[in-house]
Amino acid sequence: MAKLSSSEQEKVELEHQAAKIFMRCYERDSGHEIRHLWHNRPSKPDVSCRLEGERLDLEIAHLYGSELEAKQILGRELNEETCLELRNLDSMTQPEERLLKALNRILYNKSLKHYRSERVWLVIRNAHPAWDRAQIEALRNKIDVPPSHPFEQIWMVGDWEGESGIIKLFPCALR
């Protein structure tokens, strides 16, 4: 197996963190045992686990808002031009509009993927400190889940550490 670059290794670590947080919250909320996390190669979802003994694959995404905000959140160096773009972005749109737009962008992009898997759940980890569980729940019936996608269920981890728990986005009984 080829050695991963530092950015690929960071991506794997972030996916594992998100999956562990989701699994812990899901097990606590549902009472269903979810265990044994392992990472997959391309053409499969990011990680796999066992839900009540049955294989379940998880595709992991992180909701940052924009590439620039992702750099800021992950502690990357930002040049003056990037800082100016972030200030302009903040002044151009309301936080709720940006949240909805960013979430819909992830849902659309992930809907185009195809996996060699029987059961795939999409887990989106909210990485943006300005967005919280209440804002996400308020937008639940406004999100645009594409009619065709490979996911049995779509979940969101409400915050970086998972302290606010998880939110089921699809299928959603509140619609």
Side-chain angles (χ1 to χ4, degrees):
M1 180 175 4
K3 185 168 173 55
L4 297 176
S5 70
S6 61
S7 64
E8 291 170 321
Q9 184 60 40
E10 180 184 38
K11 181 180 182 294
V12 168
E13 289 171 14
L14 288 170
E15 289 167 353
H16 267 77
Q17 288 173 6
K20 285 178 185 179
I21 290 167
F22 170 77
M23 291 166 60
R24 183 183 68 234
C25 292
Y26 182 84
E27 187 171 284
R28 181 193 64 223
D29 294 353
S30 71
H32 296 286
E33 185 176 86
I34 188 167
R35 297 274 196 280
H36 308 299
L37 177 67
W38 65 94
H39 201 81
N40 294 316
R41 286 285 175 216
S43 81
K44 288 200 170 198
D46 297 315
V47 297
S48 297
C49 59
R50 297 252 177 234
L51 174 60
E52 297 286 306
E54 300 282 323
R55 182 179 176 139
L56 173 64
D57 294 312
L58 303 175
E59 177 68 15
I60 306 295
H62 283 82
L63 180 67
Y64 295 104
S66 71
E67 183 178 345
L68 298 174
E69 289 173 308
K71 287 180 181 180
Q72 186 178 37
I73 290 165
L74 293 173
R76 302 287 188 278
E77 289 295 317
L78 300 179
N79 61 31
E80 187 54 38
E81 180 183 338
T82 300
C83 291
L84 178 62
E85 286 183 50
L86 283 172
R87 284 191 293 274
N88 289 338
L89 185 61
D90 282 341
S91 66
M92 289 178 2
T93 56
Q94 295 297 320
E96 293 79 16
E97 291 174 35
R98 290 182 45 234
L99 168 58
L100 183 61
K101 188 175 186 175
L103 185 53
N104 282 337
R105 184 179 62 237
I106 287 174
L107 292 170
Y108 174 76
N109 289 339
K110 294 294 184 176
S111 76
L112 301 175
K113 290 192 154 206
H114 300 281
Y115 305 101
R116 290 181 313 188
S117 175
E118 298 198 14
R119 287 182 79 192
V120 184
W121 291 5
L122 174 60
V123 175
I124 304 167
R125 181 186 192 187
N126 175 24
H128 201 296
W131 297 332
D132 61 27
R133 181 188 178 101
Q135 290 170 304
I136 295 162
E137 287 178 331
L139 294 176
R140 191 168 20 191
N141 60 356
K142 295 179 182 178
I143 64 170
D144 185 21
V145 177
S148 177
H149 60 81
F151 305 110
E152 182 180 293
Q153 295 184 25
I154 300 173
W155 291 85
M156 185 132 187
V157 177
D159 61 84
W160 187 255
E161 298 296 329
E163 293 172 3
S164 65
I166 56 177
I167 305 130
K168 190 174 188 181
L169 300 178
F170 177 86
C172 182
L174 297 177
R175 291 194 154 202

